[in-house]
Amino acid sequence: MPAPLFTNSFTKLPDHFFARLPPTPVRAPRLLKLNGSLAHELGLDTDWLSSDDGLAMLSGNSFPESAASIAMAYAGHQFGQFTPQLGDGRALLIGEVIDRFGQRRDIQLKGSGRTPFSRGGDGRAALGPVLREYLISEAMHALGIPTTRSLAVVATGEHIWRETPQPGGIVVRVASSHIRVGTFQFFAARGDTDALKALCQHVMERHDPEAVKAENSVLAMLEGVIARQADLIALWMGVGFIHGVMNTDNMTVSGETIDYGPCAFMDVYDPQTVFSAIDRGERYAFGNQPRIAQWNLARFAETLLPLLHADANTAMRMGTDAINQFPILFAQAMTGRLRAKLGFGTAEEGDLALAQDLLQIMASSNADYTLGFRLLCRATDGDGQAFRDLFATTGAIDAWLAGWRSRLSREADKPNRVYDMKQANPAIIPRNHNVEAALAAAVEGDMTPFDVLHEALSKPFDDQSEVSMFGFPPAAIDTDYQTFCGT
């Protein structure tokens, strides 16, 4: 059984991009979850990963000779306030593999112990939040949303202190890269233009190879990041996902969702929905996410100004013009998502207004976002009663249904329309009450509810009668429900 053969392109950058350090061993590691399908995709041997040597690597007790064991440096705006040095305070990048599709993928341990960036923390993670990241990130992948992935979860056999003693855990995270807007901010804050140039070159080679050929490669790279983020946020909004901590250090240049601490999924449609306990000002509410994404990208563009053009005014204009494209790109992506959710394969001018009217009725009726759109799929053949039953009064929704059916009648006949709609409207998402119940059982040693929920979430667009309970909101909405930065 061969150990992974890692490459380490990030370590070819200057030494101040990261800190090298040995792993911090844990007392009694135990493999709780191994993502066999992802391991296969990465070209990794599941038998080896399940062996004593594999467990030693996944737990951070020892690494193969080809591994790197580095903590990456970055800065970031956290709730609008800039911190010039953050970095991997509880994570180690152990290397990169080339997957079966020829793509370079990072493998990182999260919860692996103190690093020079820990800022007084213990560098560990509690088992519950680690399992939460595994569950939600893999659910996001199944929903077709670019995301970091989870290869494994290891119980450390140790307890950590988080107000009360809690069992420790490590999640093995996989990403196209772990480079963030905050990575650029780290060097910009120090006026290190040479480092920014090296970082740009690295990012272009890894994520934007076409940008290298452009007349202004840095501008082309910036435009690529903006486009990826516009698509990503539209995908989030399409399934009711709320990130909860959209700091610049949690925005990747790859366009992947990263950091599943205080994230959650909305039940009742309300653009002001916030679950994060630390988001007291509702900065990262569901409906604010596009605006915050543009704000973050503006901070990214600021780091690139010295490289965009030698003339400061010209550089500012170029960066501003690029950032001003975000609302346009997001609107296009979001309108496309909404058209698909409504069953439209063609575009008409009134489509967005029709979708917005439905959302407004949902909000005023406290209707469930995911269930509402899923039940709308049934209404294409005239069976709209279950959909209508979601609304407090039927007058407004009946008028809306008439307009929607009139619009649908102008679409070409498609025998698979309902199927196509269902592919845009999941039946099952990681609803907060189901997630909490599964995690509570898992932390107590019963992984069965977690495994059942995880399996259901791997097929979110299917009608799964045996787990249909996962498709419904809780009997009573918990208006006080909060999520935390547990990992």
Side-chain angles (χ1 to χ4, degrees):
M1 295 184 292
L5 182 62
F6 292 107
T7 58
N8 301 289
S9 66
F10 198 80
T11 60
K12 296 177 182 177
L13 292 164
D15 288 346
H16 59 297
F17 277 61
F18 50 84
R20 294 183 185 270
L21 66 157
T24 304
V26 297
R27 183 180 300 122
R30 180 166 56 94
L31 185 60
L32 282 187
K33 293 295 296 182
L34 179 62
N35 192 335
S37 61
L38 178 57
H40 175 76
E41 185 178 309
L42 298 173
L44 301 180
D45 188 321
T46 55
D47 289 337
W48 186 88
L49 290 171
S50 302
S51 70
D52 289 345
D53 287 342
L55 180 58
M57 182 191 79
L58 297 173
S59 63
N61 278 4
S62 67
F63 293 149
E65 289 185 5
S66 61
S69 190
I70 62 171
M72 297 170 65
Y74 52 84
H77 276 89
Q78 300 186 307
F79 294 90
Q81 303 300 311
F82 184 64
T83 302
Q85 180 168 301
L86 295 169
D88 289 331
R90 57 177 119 212
L92 286 179
L93 178 64
I94 62 176
E96 305 151 11
V97 296
I98 307 300
D99 68 18
R100 294 181 182 274
F101 307 103
Q103 301 300 309
R104 186 177 295 273
R105 311 277 288 277
D106 281 0
I107 298 181
Q108 183 195 65
L109 306 188
K110 187 177 179 182
S112 54
R114 286 190 179 94
T115 79
F117 305 111
S118 294
R119 295 179 294 160
D122 62 11
R124 293 302 190 185
L127 182 59
V130 159
L131 286 167
R132 179 185 178 86
E133 176 148 346
Y134 186 103
L135 189 71
I136 305 297
S137 65
E138 288 305 299
M140 292 285 274
H141 172 69
L143 287 164
I145 299 173
T147 178
T148 59
R149 302 283 307 277
S150 295
L151 177 62
V153 169
V154 174
T156 63
E158 301 174 347
H159 279 78
I160 63 172
W161 188 263
R162 297 291 186 271
E163 296 182 349
T164 60
Q166 297 183 27
I170 294 171
V171 62
V172 184
R173 184 162 67 186
V174 176
S176 294
S177 81
H178 284 84
I179 300 168
R180 312 148 188 265
V181 168
T183 315
F184 284 82
Q185 290 182 294
F186 181 85
F187 299 109
R190 289 156 177 78
D192 194 341
T193 304
D194 289 341
L196 286 169
K197 288 179 180 177
L199 185 58
C200 284
Q201 186 64 32
H202 179 82
V203 168
M204 283 186 275
E205 291 174 356
R206 190 154 183 175
H207 299 298
D208 292 286
E210 292 302 314
V212 178
K213 308 171 187 176
E215 182 178 351
N216 187 321
S217 59
V218 174
L219 178 60
M221 181 194 72
L222 171 61
E223 291 170 342
V225 174
I226 291 169
R228 288 192 288 272
Q229 286 296 329
D231 287 340
L232 179 65
I233 305 303
L235 288 167
W236 287 1
M237 306 284 278
V239 295
F241 176 75
I242 305 166
H243 187 280
V245 60
M246 285 181 66
N247 298 328
T248 57
D249 55 296
N250 291 330
M251 176 176 275
T252 64
V253 298
S254 66
E256 292 175 312
T257 313
I258 192 170
D259 196 329
Y260 287 96
C263 71
F265 283 76
M266 180 173 61
D267 289 310
V268 168
Y269 178 76
D270 180 358
Q272 296 307 309
T273 301
V274 173
F275 293 116
S276 173
I278 58 175
D279 191 4
R280 298 179 182 89
E282 300 183 355
R283 177 181 174 88
Y284 300 142
F286 175 75
N288 286 349
Q289 292 179 129
R291 179 177 63 83
I292 292 299
Q294 185 178 13
W295 191 91
N296 287 350
L297 290 164
R299 307 290 77 75
F300 178 47
E302 288 169 355
T303 70
L304 302 176
L305 292 178
L307 309 182
L308 284 173
H309 200 279
D311 177 72
N313 290 331
T314 303
M316 180 65 74
R317 176 183 54 76
M318 294 168 68
T320 301
D321 289 348
I323 294 299
N324 286 341
Q325 288 299 302
F326 178 85
I328 299 169
L329 294 171
F330 170 76
Q332 291 171 346
M334 193 69 234
T335 301
R337 295 308 306 158
L338 290 169
R339 280 197 177 104
K341 292 176 78 66
L342 294 176
F344 304 156
T346 60
E348 290 190 8
E349 186 175 344
D351 291 347
L352 181 58
L354 188 65
Q356 290 172 334
D357 286 346
L358 174 58
L359 295 177
Q360 186 174 5
I361 300 170
M362 279 186 169
S364 63
S365 298
N366 292 324
D368 187 83
Y369 183 67
T370 300
L371 185 58
F373 275 104
R374 186 69 177 191
L375 291 176
L376 183 63
C377 300
R378 296 187 195 174
T380 57
D381 60 2
D383 181 15
Q385 188 57 50
F387 174 75
R388 293 173 73 246
D389 288 345
L390 290 177
F391 298 87
T393 58
T394 57
I397 201 60
D398 283 346
W400 184 87
L401 277 168
W404 172 69
R405 288 191 172 116
S406 174
R407 167 66 179 88
L408 205 61
S409 69
R410 295 192 291 277
E411 293 279 315
D413 288 337
K414 290 181 64 177
N416 58 342
R417 174 172 287 122
V418 174
Y419 174 83
D420 288 346
M421 281 187 72
K422 286 182 176 181
Q423 298 311 297
N425 295 303
I428 295 176
I429 58 167
R431 291 186 180 271
N432 305 322
H433 65 295
N434 294 327
V435 170
E436 295 299 336
L439 294 181
V443 170
E444 292 300 317
D446 181 6
M447 289 292 293
T448 300
F450 182 96
D451 291 338
V452 171
L453 179 57
H454 175 248
E455 176 64 19
L457 290 169
S458 71
K459 299 172 288 187
F461 302 105
D462 293 356
D463 292 311
Q464 303 179 61
S465 58
E466 68 279 11
V467 288
S468 60
M469 65 284 194
F470 293 144
F472 293 92
I477 299 297
D478 182 1
T479 56
D480 296 323
Y481 177 73
Q482 291 186 317
T483 55
F484 301 87
C485 288
T487 55

